[in-house]
Amino acid sequence: MINGGYSRFKNSMFKISRNDDDILIISNKYVEELRTLPDEKISAIGAHIKLIARISARVFLGYPACRNQEWLHTSIKYTENVFATVITFRFLPSYLHPLIAMFLPPAYKVQSNLRLAKRIIGPMVRERRAKAESGDPTWERPDDLLQWMIEAANENDGTPDKLAHRQLLLSLASIHTTTMSAAHAL
């Protein structure tokens, strides 16, 4: 099979599919070029996390907020910090959690992520409400989850801070579950 493939694809590449794996056969023509390439490693999980965070932000916050690098970084780090905190707290009795949280970097970074999310989302909520109430005929109602949440929330649940916190929680759920599903698929 290999000899037949080599004679048909002498100056290119071909793949042999097996039950357990695929084998890529590369012509000698490319060996020297491959030897001189730098050895770069790419984290598949890291790339997936960034992609999922951006897609989630597009659905949750709309355009152009989905491209806000500060939000994307915060939503990813919030997810990482929450899980690191939870894993650490599992080994400790619950009465120690408030004390340990003061000295545990992921725990206080969760609060920092939340403050940053409020700083990003809060003005968006206030701006959308102001435009909706102004009656401006040129304003187009955004078609994203944040707008749906603004419209569906009661006075208590619709504060900008609570909406920002919910956006982070939704990002946590979407980034974690989708990234883990993609990782398991790989």
Side-chain angles (χ1 to χ4, degrees):
M1 184 181 284
I2 293 175
N3 288 335
Y6 185 73
S7 64
R8 282 183 60 203
F9 303 102
K10 192 171 222 137
N11 293 318
S12 63
M13 298 175 259
F14 65 96
K15 176 176 75 170
I16 298 175
S17 295
R18 298 185 340 183
N19 288 338
D20 60 340
D21 206 358
D22 291 339
I23 299 174
L24 180 65
I25 308 295
I26 301 173
S27 169
N28 289 335
K29 171 181 168 181
Y30 298 107
V31 170
E32 194 56 40
E33 182 181 346
L34 288 171
R35 226 180 252 139
T36 60
L37 289 176
D39 185 16
E40 293 183 31
K41 294 182 180 179
I42 299 172
S43 167
I45 298 290
H48 277 105
I49 288 174
K50 289 177 183 175
L51 178 65
I52 300 305
R54 193 160 184 178
I55 292 169
S56 298
R58 179 69 171 100
V59 173
F60 295 163
L61 302 177
Y63 179 82
C66 66
R67 295 192 176 170
N68 181 326
Q69 291 302 311
E70 205 172 24
W71 170 259
L72 295 173
H73 178 77
T74 298
S75 63
I76 291 168
K77 289 300 177 186
Y78 180 77
T79 301
E80 293 171 1
N81 290 328
V82 165
F83 282 103
T85 302
V86 167
I87 288 168
T88 303
F89 281 177
R90 283 188 179 163
F91 296 109
L92 303 167
S94 60
Y95 66 87
L96 288 178
H97 292 182
L99 178 64
I100 299 299
M102 293 189 301
F103 304 103
L104 185 65
Y108 58 77
K109 286 179 183 176
V110 165
Q111 296 306 313
S112 174
N113 297 141
L114 185 55
R115 280 192 302 276
L116 185 57
K118 290 175 181 179
R119 199 185 81 215
I120 294 168
I121 304 286
M124 291 174 60
V125 171
R126 287 187 282 279
E127 178 185 357
R128 288 181 182 199
R129 284 192 174 138
K131 287 183 178 181
E133 292 169 3
S134 73
D136 181 4
T138 62
W139 183 67
E140 288 187 35
R141 179 189 164 277
D143 189 20
D144 55 41
L145 185 63
L146 179 59
Q147 187 64 34
W148 301 341
M149 290 170 69
I150 291 169
E151 293 170 4
N154 62 33
E155 190 175 321
N156 184 42
D157 290 334
T159 65
D161 286 354
K162 286 187 178 180
L163 292 172
H165 194 177
R166 288 190 182 103
Q167 285 289 331
L168 266 184
L169 291 172
L170 288 167
S171 293
L172 177 144
S174 69
I175 290 169
H176 172 69
T177 56
T178 310
T179 301
M180 289 301 107
S181 294
H184 290 296
L186 290 176

